[in-house]
Short mmCIF file of all heavy atoms in Angstrom, two decimals:
data_model
loop_
_atom_site.label_atom_id
_atom_site.label_comp_id
_atom_site.label_asym_id
_atom_site.label_seq_id
_atom_site.Cartn_x
_atom_site.Cartn_y
_atom_site.Cartn_z
N LEU O 1 0.46 4.93 6.33
CA LEU O 1 -0.74 4.54 5.60
C LEU O 1 -1.27 3.19 6.07
O LEU O 1 -2.47 3.02 6.30
CB LEU O 1 -0.45 4.47 4.10
CG LEU O 1 -0.73 5.70 3.25
CD1 LEU O 1 -0.28 5.46 1.82
CD2 LEU O 1 -2.20 6.07 3.27
N VAL O 2 -0.39 2.22 6.18
CA VAL O 2 -0.81 0.88 6.59
C VAL O 2 -1.47 0.93 7.96
O VAL O 2 -2.55 0.35 8.17
CB VAL O 2 0.40 -0.09 6.60
CG1 VAL O 2 0.00 -1.42 7.25
CG2 VAL O 2 0.90 -0.32 5.18
N ARG O 3 -0.86 1.64 8.90
CA ARG O 3 -1.44 1.72 10.25
C ARG O 3 -2.77 2.44 10.25
O ARG O 3 -3.75 2.00 10.86
CB ARG O 3 -0.45 2.42 11.20
CG ARG O 3 0.75 1.58 11.57
CD ARG O 3 1.42 2.12 12.82
NE ARG O 3 2.05 3.42 12.55
CZ ARG O 3 3.32 3.56 12.16
NH1 ARG O 3 4.08 2.49 11.94
NH2 ARG O 3 3.84 4.76 11.96
N SER O 4 -2.84 3.57 9.54
CA SER O 4 -4.06 4.35 9.53
C SER O 4 -5.21 3.63 8.83
O SER O 4 -6.34 3.60 9.32
CB SER O 4 -3.80 5.70 8.85
OG SER O 4 -4.96 6.51 8.84
N MET O 5 -4.91 2.99 7.68
CA MET O 5 -5.96 2.32 6.93
C MET O 5 -6.44 1.07 7.63
O MET O 5 -7.63 0.74 7.59
CB MET O 5 -5.46 2.01 5.51
CG MET O 5 -5.19 3.24 4.68
SD MET O 5 -4.65 2.92 2.97
CE MET O 5 -6.20 2.41 2.24
N SER O 6 -5.54 0.36 8.30
CA SER O 6 -5.95 -0.87 8.99
C SER O 6 -6.88 -0.57 10.16
O SER O 6 -7.62 -1.45 10.60
CB SER O 6 -4.72 -1.64 9.48
OG SER O 6 -3.98 -0.85 10.41
N ARG O 7 -6.85 0.66 10.66
CA ARG O 7 -7.77 1.03 11.75
C ARG O 7 -9.16 1.38 11.24
O ARG O 7 -10.12 1.34 12.02
CB ARG O 7 -7.20 2.22 12.54
CG ARG O 7 -5.99 1.88 13.40
CD ARG O 7 -5.70 2.99 14.39
NE ARG O 7 -5.28 4.21 13.73
CZ ARG O 7 -4.01 4.56 13.55
NH1 ARG O 7 -3.04 3.74 13.97
NH2 ARG O 7 -3.69 5.68 12.95
N GLN O 8 -9.28 1.74 9.96
CA GLN O 8 -10.57 2.26 9.49
C GLN O 8 -11.23 1.44 8.40
O GLN O 8 -12.46 1.45 8.26
CB GLN O 8 -10.38 3.71 9.01
CG GLN O 8 -9.85 4.62 10.11
CD GLN O 8 -10.13 6.08 9.83
OE1 GLN O 8 -11.26 6.44 9.53
NE2 GLN O 8 -9.11 6.93 9.92
N ILE O 9 -10.45 0.74 7.57
CA ILE O 9 -11.03 -0.13 6.55
C ILE O 9 -10.24 -1.43 6.52
O ILE O 9 -9.16 -1.53 7.12
CB ILE O 9 -11.03 0.52 5.15
CG1 ILE O 9 -9.59 0.77 4.67
CG2 ILE O 9 -11.85 1.79 5.13
CD1 ILE O 9 -9.51 1.24 3.23
N ALA O 10 -10.76 -2.43 5.82
CA ALA O 10 -10.07 -3.71 5.72
C ALA O 10 -8.83 -3.57 4.84
O ALA O 10 -8.86 -2.90 3.80
CB ALA O 10 -11.00 -4.76 5.13
N VAL O 11 -7.74 -4.19 5.26
CA VAL O 11 -6.53 -4.22 4.44
C VAL O 11 -6.19 -5.67 4.13
O VAL O 11 -6.67 -6.60 4.78
CB VAL O 11 -5.34 -3.54 5.15
CG1 VAL O 11 -5.63 -2.07 5.39
CG2 VAL O 11 -4.99 -4.24 6.45
N ALA O 12 -5.39 -5.88 3.10
CA ALA O 12 -5.01 -7.23 2.68
C ALA O 12 -4.12 -7.89 3.73
O ALA O 12 -3.56 -7.22 4.61
CB ALA O 12 -4.31 -7.18 1.33
N ARG O 13 -3.97 -9.21 3.63
CA ARG O 13 -3.12 -9.94 4.58
C ARG O 13 -1.68 -9.44 4.53
O ARG O 13 -1.01 -9.33 5.55
CB ARG O 13 -3.15 -11.44 4.25
CG ARG O 13 -4.51 -12.09 4.52
CD ARG O 13 -4.46 -13.57 4.14
NE ARG O 13 -5.76 -14.21 4.31
CZ ARG O 13 -6.01 -15.47 3.98
NH1 ARG O 13 -5.03 -16.22 3.47
NH2 ARG O 13 -7.21 -15.97 4.15
N SER O 14 -1.23 -9.16 3.31
CA SER O 14 0.10 -8.54 3.15
C SER O 14 -0.14 -7.15 2.58
O SER O 14 -0.16 -6.96 1.36
CB SER O 14 0.98 -9.36 2.21
OG SER O 14 1.15 -10.67 2.69
N PRO O 15 -0.34 -6.15 3.44
CA PRO O 15 -0.80 -4.85 2.96
C PRO O 15 0.24 -4.03 2.22
O PRO O 15 -0.09 -3.02 1.61
CB PRO O 15 -1.24 -4.14 4.24
CG PRO O 15 -0.44 -4.79 5.31
CD PRO O 15 -0.24 -6.21 4.90
N HIS O 16 1.51 -4.43 2.25
CA HIS O 16 2.52 -3.69 1.51
C HIS O 16 3.18 -4.59 0.48
O HIS O 16 3.65 -5.68 0.80
CB HIS O 16 3.60 -3.13 2.44
CG HIS O 16 4.76 -2.54 1.67
ND1 HIS O 16 6.06 -2.91 1.87
CD2 HIS O 16 4.79 -1.63 0.67
CE1 HIS O 16 6.86 -2.25 1.04
NE2 HIS O 16 6.11 -1.47 0.30
N ARG O 17 3.21 -4.12 -0.77
CA ARG O 17 3.92 -4.81 -1.83
C ARG O 17 4.67 -3.77 -2.66
O ARG O 17 4.44 -2.57 -2.51
CB ARG O 17 2.96 -5.59 -2.72
CG ARG O 17 2.30 -6.78 -2.03
CD ARG O 17 1.51 -7.61 -3.03
NE ARG O 17 1.05 -8.85 -2.44
CZ ARG O 17 -0.16 -9.04 -1.92
NH1 ARG O 17 -1.04 -8.05 -1.93
NH2 ARG O 17 -0.51 -10.21 -1.41
N SER O 18 5.52 -4.24 -3.55
CA SER O 18 6.30 -3.30 -4.38
C SER O 18 6.51 -3.89 -5.76
O SER O 18 6.53 -5.11 -5.93
CB SER O 18 7.65 -2.99 -3.71
OG SER O 18 8.40 -4.19 -3.53
N ALA O 19 6.65 -3.01 -6.73
CA ALA O 19 6.91 -3.41 -8.12
C ALA O 19 7.30 -2.18 -8.91
O ALA O 19 7.29 -1.05 -8.40
CB ALA O 19 5.68 -4.10 -8.73
N ALA O 20 7.63 -2.37 -10.18
CA ALA O 20 8.12 -1.28 -11.04
C ALA O 20 6.97 -0.53 -11.70
O ALA O 20 6.80 -0.57 -12.91
CB ALA O 20 9.08 -1.83 -12.09
N PHE O 21 6.18 0.17 -10.90
CA PHE O 21 5.08 0.96 -11.44
C PHE O 21 5.62 2.23 -12.10
O PHE O 21 6.35 3.01 -11.48
CB PHE O 21 4.12 1.37 -10.32
CG PHE O 21 3.31 0.23 -9.77
CD1 PHE O 21 3.78 -0.51 -8.69
CD2 PHE O 21 2.09 -0.11 -10.33
CE1 PHE O 21 3.05 -1.56 -8.18
CE2 PHE O 21 1.35 -1.16 -9.83
CZ PHE O 21 1.82 -1.89 -8.74
N ARG O 22 5.23 2.44 -13.35
CA ARG O 22 5.71 3.61 -14.08
C ARG O 22 5.31 4.92 -13.39
O ARG O 22 6.08 5.87 -13.33
CB ARG O 22 5.16 3.60 -15.51
CG ARG O 22 5.68 4.73 -16.39
CD ARG O 22 4.94 4.77 -17.72
NE ARG O 22 5.08 3.53 -18.45
CZ ARG O 22 6.13 3.22 -19.20
NH1 ARG O 22 7.13 4.07 -19.31
NH2 ARG O 22 6.18 2.08 -19.84
N VAL O 23 4.10 4.97 -12.87
CA VAL O 23 3.59 6.21 -12.30
C VAL O 23 4.30 6.58 -11.00
O VAL O 23 4.22 7.72 -10.54
CB VAL O 23 2.06 6.11 -12.09
CG1 VAL O 23 1.74 5.33 -10.80
CG2 VAL O 23 1.40 7.48 -12.09
N LEU O 24 5.04 5.63 -10.41
CA LEU O 24 5.76 5.90 -9.16
C LEU O 24 7.23 6.27 -9.40
O LEU O 24 7.97 6.48 -8.43
CB LEU O 24 5.69 4.69 -8.23
CG LEU O 24 4.29 4.27 -7.78
CD1 LEU O 24 4.37 3.09 -6.81
CD2 LEU O 24 3.54 5.43 -7.13
N ARG O 25 7.66 6.36 -10.64
CA ARG O 25 9.07 6.65 -10.94
C ARG O 25 9.33 8.15 -10.82
O ARG O 25 9.45 8.87 -11.80
CB ARG O 25 9.43 6.14 -12.33
CG ARG O 25 9.29 4.63 -12.47
CD ARG O 25 9.55 4.17 -13.88
NE ARG O 25 9.26 2.74 -14.04
CZ ARG O 25 9.32 2.09 -15.19
NH1 ARG O 25 9.67 2.73 -16.29
NH2 ARG O 25 9.04 0.80 -15.25
N GLN O 26 9.44 8.61 -9.60
CA GLN O 26 9.57 10.03 -9.32
C GLN O 26 10.77 10.24 -8.39
O GLN O 26 10.67 10.02 -7.18
CB GLN O 26 8.28 10.55 -8.68
CG GLN O 26 7.04 10.13 -9.47
CD GLN O 26 5.88 11.07 -9.29
OE1 GLN O 26 6.05 12.27 -9.12
NE2 GLN O 26 4.70 10.52 -9.32
#
């Protein structure tokens, strides 16, 4: 995702972060 998105739209300086998102608890 990071590679593909950085080629087509602007990404943040630190494009990957992590945290305890409830919706990702799978």
Side-chain angles (χ1 to χ4, degrees):
L1 267 176
V2 171
R3 287 199 292 268
S4 181
M5 295 182 74
S6 62
R7 288 194 294 264
Q8 301 201 50
I9 64 173
V11 298
R13 292 179 183 176
S14 301
H16 171 234
R17 292 188 171 97
S18 59
F21 289 91
R22 184 188 301 278
V23 80
L24 299 183
R25 298 175 187 176
Q26 310 206 33

